[in-house]
Amino acid sequence: MNKKIIGTILVTAGILFMAGGLIARKVTNETRLTSCVLAAGILMFGEGVQKLSVGFLMTPEQQKQREIEVNDERNAQIRGKAVWKSYSIMRFLLPAAGFALIYAGDLTAGILVVGINLIQGLLAAGFEEYYRKRM
């Protein structure tokens, strides 16, 4: 499907989710479920805007050049290093955020954040071993 169509669908769905979440929050005073709906709407809206910006702001020649750059080996290595560096920083920030949430009294969210950190570490170790054997 075309990026413009997908972007338009995502932006529309994001706006609908955000509006629905706000309306449901006002009507029911429910905060947890409506917060999830709002977060989903914000994520969809942001992803849609990103896809629309690529579709509308770039000429076809620029889009072809971007695809070549994305598939270039040097750029793939740069992205890999950037992802690893952001992982190494988040490896320390996630536990701190989890413990801060636990200390603030939100035990469920704190355990969830610390659990995500654990899953992230296990995935990193697994992928590292996988690529070590593969390369």
Side-chain angles (χ1 to χ4, degrees), residues 18-35:
M18 288 187 288
L22 288 173
I23 291 169
R25 181 175 282 194
K26 286 285 187 188
V27 172
T28 64
N29 290 328
E30 168 65 35
T31 57
R32 290 184 181 183
L33 183 60
T34 56
S35 294

Side-chain angles (χ1 to χ4, degrees), residues 6-50:
I6 294 172
T8 304
I9 291 170
L10 284 172
V11 166
T12 305
I15 291 171
L16 290 174
F17 269 60
M18 288 187 288
L22 288 173
I23 291 169
R25 181 175 282 194
K26 286 285 187 188
V27 172
T28 64
N29 290 328
E30 168 65 35
T31 57
R32 290 184 181 183
L33 183 60
T34 56
S35 294
C36 290
V37 172
L38 282 169
I42 291 168
L43 289 172
M44 281 190 259
F45 182 79
E47 187 69 24
V49 167
Q50 187 271 334

Side-chain angles (χ1 to χ4, degrees), residues 59-72:
T59 64
E61 294 83 22
Q62 289 173 330
Q63 289 177 358
K64 287 179 186 177
Q65 183 64 31
R66 184 171 186 261
E67 285 182 32
I68 291 170
E69 290 175 0
V70 165
N71 295 327
D72 183 36

